[in-house]
């Protein structure tokens, strides 16, 4: 008996031809109705079969919430183009096969009760190519999101610009990019869901301009398609090249999520702009100590040892224990994702925030994988990207600092470590939202300061913060390893001394909840407008090193 195979190019009609299907990935037998219930994802190999735009909207949006948006009609066949067939005949055939006017559907709807405007591309319609009608649809979606003051969700599936419309198709890239820029200026969240495939003019315009880019497993995205690349460079491409997993490893997308997870993930992202009232956090007691004599004096060597203990909670430990939810965002969007920096959108006692921190580890394997919490330039570029997103959306920023310092080495220098750190300092200094930093373990040099230019700087009782490690200071100035205790004492790097110097605002006692200390700091800072926050923050750092009698 013949059974249809679900190849990448399969059309939705295939499912109507048989109750049983063969997965185009692993070859197992699939029961058609169950396969549809699973969102057309193979339960054995996880292969995501292409969806129509209508089915995509049905799976993502709350039932019954989708309302189509009308758009201004685009010019048809502006070049009177003909290849093997006249363009008009190709359009008519695509409309008959798909039931769509063109390659993009635009609707208003909700995801987990949160409003959104969605532009969903359909690869069945002339390969999802970007022509005048598709560009008009994307631009209309952005304009409707702007008018409604709601987030925009783009679902991409395209082979590139539509050749039959010549340079007019090329202009759609600039047109849609401008529409995305208007949403940036208005502070509205934009999300792209990359599905297979997303190439050419779509990838090089609106698809990659979104604040958050999520890709389905196996989805491919790039400027040039694999055949074009291979023909140009006359080499075989590596396995997995341009897939979602490749893009994630190279910092080009924020995450890869399976189809079943997407409504939850999108709901979390869309909730990033839901702001609680002024009474937020008023029931939380502040656990911090603000006077140096409230901190017991202890040997510096003991404090340094505790600051470096592998059992100290990491950034991921904190996100798991005192945030209501956390969606990690990956990558610097320039070719890398640094494992020593973890950041993303979080919810703190009902308040959406941007949480960013250094990530070490508890085991040797994890320490090695996370580069011992020492960020590369890509890590600091990721930090700067997330900070800008927080500024755009008006989200308070929480940074958790625990690093021996920025990663030293040839690659770090080659890729601009100094420049990346400097950019973080500049972005934080001018960020018009509340910023709270907590030194939770080691605060090593500029690698730590890059996350600590804040309105409130807190430090855990057993944490340290210094221009250099005591070992480095002893080696350079004392020129002997035995001078480490003397260097540590001279640097005054422990919490009590830092509070006396005014470097930190308060100390979180070792057994006290850091979460509560952060809530109380943000509770105060949320009452201050953006320009005043920036002015006060710059004034705070301006006074360091100035004689107090002047």
């Amino acid at each position: 008996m013949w059974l249809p195979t679900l190849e990448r190019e399969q059309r939705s009609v295939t499912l109507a031809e048989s109750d049983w299907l063969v997965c185009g990935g692993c070859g197992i037998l699939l029961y058609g109705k169950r396969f549809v219930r699973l969102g057309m994802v193979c339960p054995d190999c996880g292969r995501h079969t292409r969806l129509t735009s209508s089915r995509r909207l049905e799976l993502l949006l709350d039932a019954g919430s989708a309302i189509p948006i009308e758009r201004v009609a685009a010019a048809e066949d502006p070049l009177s183009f003909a290849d093997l067939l006249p363009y008009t005949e190709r359009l008519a055939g695509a409309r008959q096969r798909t039931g769509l006017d063109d390659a993009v559907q635009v609707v208003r709807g909700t995801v987990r009760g949160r409003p959104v405007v969605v532009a969903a591309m359909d690869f069945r319609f002339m390969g999802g190519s970007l022509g005048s009608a598709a560009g008009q649809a994307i631009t209309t979606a952005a304009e409707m999101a702007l008018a409604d003051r709601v987030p925009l969700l783009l679902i991409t599936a395209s082979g590139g610009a539509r050749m039959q419309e010549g340079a007019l198709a090329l202009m759609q890239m600039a047109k849609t990019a401008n529409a995305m820029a208007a949403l940036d200026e208005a502070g509205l969240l934009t999300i792209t869901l990359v599905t297979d495939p997303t190439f050419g003019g779509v990838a090089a315009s609106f698809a990659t301009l979104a604040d958050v880019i999520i890709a389905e497993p196996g989805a491919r995205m790039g400027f040039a398609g694999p055949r074009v690349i291979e023909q140009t460079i006359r080499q075989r491409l590596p396995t997995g090249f341009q897939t979602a997993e490749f893009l994630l490893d190279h910092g080009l997308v924020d995450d890869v999520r399976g189809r079943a997870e997407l409504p939850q993930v999108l709901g979390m992202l869309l909730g990033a702009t839901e702001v609680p009232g002024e009474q937020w956090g008023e029931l939380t007691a502040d656990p911090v100590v603000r006077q140096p004599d409230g901190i017991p004096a202890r040997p510096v060597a003991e404090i340094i040892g505790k600051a470096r203990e592998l059992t100290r909670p990491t950034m991921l430990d904190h996100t798991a224990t005192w945030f209501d939810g956390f969606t990690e965002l990956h990558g610097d969007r320039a070719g890398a994702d640094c494992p020593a920096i973890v950041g993303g959108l979080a919810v703190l006692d009902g308040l959406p925030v941007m949480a960013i921190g250094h990530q070490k580890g508890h085991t040797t394997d994890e320490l090695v994988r996370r580069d011992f919490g020492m960020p590369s330039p890509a890590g600091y570029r990721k930090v700067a990207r997330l900070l800008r997103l927080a500024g755009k959306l008006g989200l308070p920023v929480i940074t958790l600092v625990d690093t021996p310092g920025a990663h030293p080495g040839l690659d770090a220098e080659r890729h601009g470590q100094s420049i990346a750190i400097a950019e973080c300092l500049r972005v934080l200094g001018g960020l018009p939202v509340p910023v709270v930093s907590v030194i939770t373990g080691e605060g090593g040099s500029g690698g730590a300061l890059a996350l600590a230019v804040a309105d409130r700087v807190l430090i855990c009782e057993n944490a340290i913060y210094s221009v250099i490690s005591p070992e480095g200071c002893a080696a350079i100035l004392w020129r002997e390893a035995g001078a480490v205790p003397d260097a540590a004492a001279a640097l005054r790097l422990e919490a009590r001394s830092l509070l006396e110097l005014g470097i930190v605002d308060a100390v979180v006692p070792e057994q006290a909840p850091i979460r509560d200390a952060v809530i109380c700091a943000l509770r105060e800072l949320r009452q201050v407008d953006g320009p005043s926050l920036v002015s006060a923050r710059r004034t705070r750092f301006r006074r360091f090193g100035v004689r107090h009698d002047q």
Side-chain angles (χ1 to χ4, degrees):
M1 179 178 66
W2 175 84
L3 295 174
T5 299
L6 289 166
E7 301 295 344
R8 281 193 180 274
E9 290 73 22
Q10 71 88 32
R11 293 184 169 85
S12 58
V13 70
T14 306
L15 294 176
E17 295 173 354
S18 173
D19 288 336
W20 293 92
L21 308 157
V22 176
C23 174
C26 63
I28 70 163
L29 199 61
L30 300 169
Y31 183 53
K33 292 182 179 179
R34 179 170 181 259
F35 182 61
V36 171
R37 287 197 301 271
L38 292 173
M40 297 176 68
V41 176
C42 175
D44 195 58
C45 70
R47 184 174 186 271
H48 284 53
T49 302
R50 287 178 186 160
L51 296 177
T52 67
S53 55
S54 297
R55 178 63 173 151
R56 178 76 63 181
L57 294 170
E58 180 184 335
L59 288 175
L60 290 180
L61 297 180
D62 298 335
S65 71
I67 302 173
I69 294 176
E70 296 296 326
R71 56 184 182 270
V72 176
E76 290 197 8
D77 196 18
L79 308 183
S80 300
F81 191 95
D83 43 66
L84 298 178
L85 287 175
Y87 180 35
T88 52
E89 290 187 26
R90 290 194 184 277
L91 285 172
R95 287 167 179 159
Q96 183 177 10
R97 287 191 302 273
T98 65
L100 302 174
D101 290 335
D102 209 272
V104 182
Q105 288 196 69
V106 181
V107 302
R108 289 185 178 92
T110 59
V111 178
R112 301 292 174 96
R114 295 178 169 114
V116 65
V117 172
V118 186
M121 304 191 77
D122 197 314
F123 194 77
R124 297 174 305 153
F125 197 103
M126 298 187 67
S129 51
L130 179 63
S132 298
Q136 183 68 23
I138 297 295
T139 304
T140 297
E143 291 169 346
M144 290 301 100
L146 184 61
D148 295 350
R149 301 292 304 178
V150 301
L152 172 67
L153 171 62
L154 304 165
I155 304 171
T156 61
S158 176
R162 190 169 296 176
M163 293 177 286
Q164 292 89 342
E165 295 188 18
L168 287 171
L170 189 67
M171 296 303 106
Q172 305 309 308
M173 295 172 63
K175 176 180 178 177
T176 55
N178 288 337
M180 296 293 284
L183 295 178
D184 286 337
E185 293 158 6
L188 295 174
L189 176 66
T190 55
I191 304 170
T192 293
L193 172 59
V194 177
T195 76
D196 187 70
T198 298
F199 284 116
V202 169
S205 59
F206 60 89
T208 49
L209 291 176
D211 300 314
V212 179
I213 304 176
I214 307 293
E216 283 193 335
R220 296 166 295 163
M221 182 173 73
F223 179 59
R227 283 188 298 176
V228 172
I229 296 173
E230 288 186 337
Q231 290 170 2
T232 301
I233 67 174
R234 300 187 183 280
Q235 295 177 20
R236 292 285 296 174
L237 297 177
T239 302
F241 183 72
Q242 294 183 315
T243 63
E245 295 74 16
F246 173 92
L247 298 170
L248 182 62
D249 288 343
H250 290 80
L252 301 174
V253 300
D254 286 288
D255 211 348
V256 176
R257 294 293 187 123
R259 201 165 281 168
E261 301 176 88
L262 288 174
Q264 178 183 356
V265 173
L266 292 175
M268 170 68 182
L269 293 171
L270 295 174
T273 54
E274 296 178 351
V275 181
E278 294 183 0
Q279 290 74 35
W280 176 84
E282 64 180 7
L283 300 179
T284 302
D286 197 346
V288 303
V289 177
R290 290 187 170 84
Q291 297 301 321
D293 57 10
I295 306 299
R298 301 202 320 276
V300 176
E302 177 186 334
I303 296 173
I304 293 173
K306 288 185 175 296
R308 294 171 173 174
E309 283 180 348
L310 292 183
T311 56
R312 290 191 76 81
T314 66
M315 172 65 182
L316 287 175
D317 292 330
H318 289 299
T319 62
T321 55
W322 51 275
F323 287 122
D324 306 328
F326 177 69
T327 302
E328 186 174 356
L329 304 178
H330 294 268
D332 66 350
R333 298 279 175 86
D337 182 39
C338 174
I341 290 288
V342 168
L345 295 168
V347 179
L348 176 62
D349 197 27
L351 175 70
V353 299
M354 182 67 75
I356 307 170
H358 300 96
Q359 176 67 22
K360 285 184 177 178
H362 299 300
T363 65
T364 300
D365 287 346
E366 187 179 4
L367 285 167
V368 171
R369 183 163 55 86
R370 296 284 181 175
D371 290 330
F372 294 86
M374 297 186 294
S376 66
Y380 292 112
R381 285 194 292 267
K382 175 164 62 173
V383 170
R385 179 174 79 86
L386 297 182
L387 292 174
R388 292 189 184 97
L389 177 55
K392 170 186 169 178
L393 300 178
L395 300 179
V397 172
I398 301 168
T399 65
L400 303 181
V401 176
D402 185 12
T403 179
H407 197 288
L410 182 62
D411 282 344
E413 294 301 319
R414 181 184 292 123
H415 292 101
Q417 185 72 288
S418 299
I419 297 170
I421 291 172
E423 184 62 16
C424 284
L425 301 178
R426 177 165 61 180
V427 174
L428 271 173
L431 209 60
V433 296
V435 182
V436 176
S437 295
V438 186
I439 315 299
T440 62
E442 288 185 275
S445 191
L449 180 63
L451 272 66
V453 180
D455 303 298
R456 297 291 182 272
V457 180
L458 311 178
I459 188 168
C460 292
E461 183 179 351
N462 287 328
I464 58 175
Y465 193 18
S466 176
V467 67
I468 193 172
S469 70
E471 293 84 0
C473 183
I476 295 171
L477 297 182
W478 275 263
R479 299 186 181 182
E480 57 175 273
V484 170
D486 294 331
L491 286 167
R492 300 187 66 188
L493 46 65
E494 84 289 353
R496 182 185 176 113
S497 291
L498 292 165
L499 190 56
E500 289 175 344
L501 293 167
I503 301 296
V504 301
D505 297 291
V507 177
V508 184
E510 196 60 22
Q511 300 305 316
I514 301 174
R515 174 185 183 274
D516 291 359
V518 171
I519 287 176
C520 292
L522 285 178
R523 181 178 63 199
E524 175 189 352
L525 294 168
R526 287 185 71 224
Q527 309 306 316
V528 184
D529 63 81
S532 297
L533 284 170
V534 172
S535 177
R537 192 181 310 138
R538 288 175 173 169
T539 298
R540 168 198 172 93
F541 286 89
R542 173 68 177 82
R543 64 180 171 80
F544 288 126
V546 175
R547 284 175 52 179
H548 296 296
D549 59 353
Q550 292 183 336

